[in-house]
Amino acid sequence: MRYISAQVILGTILCITASSHAAAQSVATKVMVRVTAHDAKIIGTGVGGARVTILNVENGDTLATGVQEGSTGDTQAIMVTARERGKVVYDTPGAAGFLAELILDGPTRVELVAEGPLGTPHAMQRASKTTLLIPGQDVLGDGIILDLQGFTVVFETPAKDVHVRAGEEFEIRANVTMLCGCPTQPGGLWDADQITVMARVLSNGDLVEEMSLEFAGTTSTFQGRIRVARTGRFEIQVIAMDAAKGNFGIVSQFLEVIK
């Protein structure tokens, strides 16, 4: 009778274990992530897209990172049609998303992080969530959704570091959109009548003047006229607010008031 040494048996077991481990690592797991604007559509290429990062919760390793690109999706499906369980909402032709291909050793808890819109850094927001992923179990279709709250607010006038005279009115105009770039207007799908837009003038953090901006008659544009009585360098802020939906946005710049 032939005998097999313990060393040979142990070596065989180790080889099989290593082989099985390598096989497990070779299984690619696809995960679709979509970053959306709260109460609006997908954050697409038109506003710079959104950065998506997938981290291993256990050790902090970055498993995948990239920029979501594509269109904002189907308005009817996302904003109008009543949602039925299991019905596709975001996975329509050309819709933005970030498709990651991960190599997982085993069941892995991950953190998904979204930042955007990248095209307007001052308006960027961040959201994250954790979930468990299983090797070989692809998450496709609508995918995993990360929702970003807020508005994008951009000055139209005055220009940066402009000079105005003390006591004289000057115009403030600002563009207010959803983070996906979706437009605001009275009675529209994103109703400007539900958004409060304020202009504020501050000196060293102290409020000097404040007024409401009204819809200017042009999509997403709000305007008003304001004056500053004294000379100096002032900060102008425009703040957009929809507290009912938890959406807020701000932009600021400086203004020189001269005699």
Side-chain angles (χ1 to χ4, degrees):
M1 179 180 295
R2 298 180 59 188
Y3 295 93
I4 302 175
S5 70
Q7 289 86 350
V8 171
I9 294 173
L10 179 59
T12 303
I13 292 172
L14 291 174
C15 286
I16 293 171
T17 302
S19 177
S20 299
H21 183 67
Q25 286 185 320
S26 68
V27 177
T29 306
K30 295 180 180 179
V31 180
M32 171 60 73
V33 182
R34 297 190 198 271
V35 186
T36 63
H38 184 63
D39 191 42
K41 298 171 65 182
I42 306 171
I43 296 176
T45 304
V47 293
R51 181 178 297 106
V52 176
T53 304
I54 303 177
L55 304 168
N56 184 318
V57 171
E58 183 178 350
N59 56 27
D61 287 350
T62 299
L63 303 178
T65 188
V67 175
Q68 168 174 285
E69 297 178 325
S71 75
T72 57
D74 186 310
T75 302
Q76 187 74 21
I78 297 172
M79 298 302 305
V80 180
T81 304
R83 298 189 183 184
E84 299 176 13
R85 184 180 182 188
K87 189 172 182 179
V88 170
V89 176
Y90 299 104
D91 187 25
T92 54
F98 174 69
L99 182 60
E101 189 166 297
L102 311 178
I103 304 300
L104 306 176
D105 294 340
T108 305
R109 194 159 68 97
V110 301
E111 180 182 20
L112 303 103
V113 181
E115 297 173 293
L118 299 179
T120 46
H122 75 273
M124 280 177 53
Q125 302 294 344
R126 184 180 187 273
S128 66
K129 65 170 61 173
T130 60
T131 191
L132 181 69
L133 296 177
I134 307 297
Q137 298 296 305
D138 296 337
V139 182
L140 300 173
D142 277 358
I144 299 173
I145 309 300
L146 291 168
D147 195 49
L148 301 183
Q149 311 268 148
F151 292 110
T152 297
V153 186
V154 178
F155 273 112
E156 292 188 2
T157 60
K160 285 186 177 181
D161 292 311
V162 70
H163 291 67
V164 300
R165 293 193 178 278
E168 290 186 0
E169 282 191 342
F170 61 95
E171 183 181 56
I172 296 179
R173 289 172 62 94
N175 190 270
V176 179
T177 63
M178 311 307 290
L179 290 184
C180 54
C182 297
T184 58
Q185 59 186 11
L189 196 54
W190 296 278
D191 190 355
D193 291 335
Q194 304 302 314
I195 304 169
T196 300
V197 183
M198 301 292 298
R200 307 174 73 206
V201 179
L202 299 100
S203 175
N204 297 318
D206 296 326
L207 183 64
V208 176
E209 299 288 345
E210 183 178 51
M211 68 170 297
S212 296
L213 300 186
E214 305 298 329
F215 185 73
T218 303
T219 301
S220 303
T221 305
F222 295 77
Q223 67 178 6
R225 300 187 69 82
I226 198 168
R227 62 167 57 89
V228 181
R230 55 190 172 89
T231 61
R233 182 173 171 82
F234 298 88
E235 181 184 4
I236 310 174
Q237 295 178 344
V238 175
I239 303 174
M241 301 171 281
D242 183 355
K245 297 183 176 66
N247 280 333
F248 302 92
I250 189 170
V251 66
S252 66
Q253 65 183 38
F254 286 94
L255 172 81
E256 194 75 28
V257 179
I258 60 176
K259 289 184 179 180

